Amino acid sequence: MTTDTLRPLVDSAWLKDALGRPDVVVLDVRTPPAGGFIPGSVHSDYATAGWRATVNGLPGFLPEVADLERLIGGLGIGNDDHVVLVAAGQNAPDIANATRVYWTFRTLGHDRVSVLDGGFAGWSADPANPIADSATTRPAKSFKAMPRTDLRATLPQVEAAVAQGTVPLVDARSADQFAGQAKSPQARAAGTLPGAVNIENGAFYSAADKHFLSGDAIKALAEKADAQQAPITFCNTGHLASVSWFALSELAGIPGVRLYDGSMSEWSADPARPLKNGPQD
């Protein structure tokens, strides 16, 4: 495998050439899958397979390492495999299935992972690309994590960032949720983190073209929002924010980007924590 195969984002042409390589595992994380499968792919439902955990009644957290090792190994993925993640790809919220699982692999110390640009929508748009009727089952393997903590922002770290006011906080949600004019059921109250800026997750991925923006275009978005210095991305449950994390960190190459998986679900759970654009404003 060359270093080219380890790009965070690969296109359908690259994947078509890579199909059948023994060390490439196509992992379909659609919820639910529809319209067939990329040949040889393994399916693991993002919503139900255990990629995210509920902690203290709050959804969306990174699961325990041992649980993820069992999940990944059970899919027939080992430490030497290059995993290519396939989401539906119709829009940013569903490409987030792939970016959140990508972030999960990276937090486990597994860097041999890529996202298929455009997902299954991009793949199936080309009639020359083969489609299988069903997914593949692989024999279980041993997967051992080498966890890293620098890609994830914890609640104490976010509390410190809010207090300091110097760490860029990027809200990946819609403009109306950022403004406190709408609220997700996962958040106790409307509003956003104090000091946050809003870059909607859809700004990084074009639903019309089924492609991520270029690294330079993403850098320009970050610079416009003054979010190019080790930002923390968040949303309601750490799902949409994974698109922002992936774009800023992996495509634009901005150093030190962290994802706050607790996001507004955790932050707003305590009424004592301050909210910008919240009920008290």
Side-chain angles (χ1 to χ4, degrees), residues 6-7 28 32 35 39 71 81 95 97 112-113 121 131 157 160-161 165 169 199 202 208-209 231 257 270:
L6 299 181
R7 292 177 296 171
D28 186 317
L71 170 60
D81 289 322
I95 203 71
N97 286 28
R112 298 177 66 80
V113 59
I131 295 177
Q157 292 170 335
L169 303 167
I199 310 178
D209 298 331
V257 188
D270 185 349

Side-chain angles (χ1 to χ4, degrees), residues 69-281:
E69 287 177 330
R70 283 191 293 270
L71 170 60
I72 294 167
L75 293 169
I77 297 170
N79 292 88
D80 293 332
D81 289 322
H82 177 194
V83 182
V84 180
L85 296 160
V86 179
Q90 294 289 350
N91 50 44
D94 65 49
I95 203 71
N97 286 28
T99 55
R100 174 60 191 254
V101 175
Y102 176 102
W103 173 81
T104 300
F105 271 100
R106 292 291 313 280
T107 65
L108 297 175
H110 187 86
D111 294 337
R112 298 177 66 80
V113 59
S114 304
V115 170
L116 176 63
D117 198 13
F120 190 77
W123 176 270
S124 59
D126 185 347
N129 289 336
I131 295 177
D133 292 333
S134 60
T136 298
T137 300
R138 296 169 58 90
K141 288 186 177 181
S142 173
F143 180 89
K144 295 299 180 184
M146 294 175 286
R148 53 188 297 184
T149 59
D150 57 316
L151 305 180
R152 183 190 190 195
T154 63
L155 177 60
Q157 292 170 335
V158 175
E159 289 176 327
V162 168
Q164 293 165 2
T166 57
V167 177
L169 303 167
V170 179
D171 189 336
R173 301 175 302 161
S174 62
D176 58 349
Q177 289 193 21
F178 173 78
Q181 298 169 353
K183 183 185 77 66
S184 165
Q186 286 87 8
R188 181 193 60 82
T192 189
L193 294 178
V197 298
N198 184 216
I199 310 178
E200 292 190 45
N201 61 93
F204 299 111
Y205 182 83
S206 171
D209 298 331
K210 307 295 187 293
H211 287 299
F212 274 93
L213 271 65
S214 69
D216 287 342
I218 294 166
K219 283 182 183 177
L221 286 173
E223 290 171 0
K224 185 177 180 180
D226 196 21
Q228 66 270 38
Q229 298 294 325
I232 293 173
T233 69
F234 68 97
C235 53
N236 288 307
T237 65
H239 174 70
L240 299 177
S242 70
V243 177
S244 306
W245 177 87
F246 181 81
L248 295 169
S249 173
E250 308 300 270
L251 302 185
I254 294 173
V257 188
R258 289 175 288 167
L259 170 64
Y260 175 31
D261 55 337
S263 284
M264 290 304 297
S265 173
E266 181 180 44
W267 181 266
S268 68
D270 185 349
R273 294 193 192 104
L275 291 168
K276 173 185 174 182
N277 303 331
Q280 75 272 27
D281 289 351

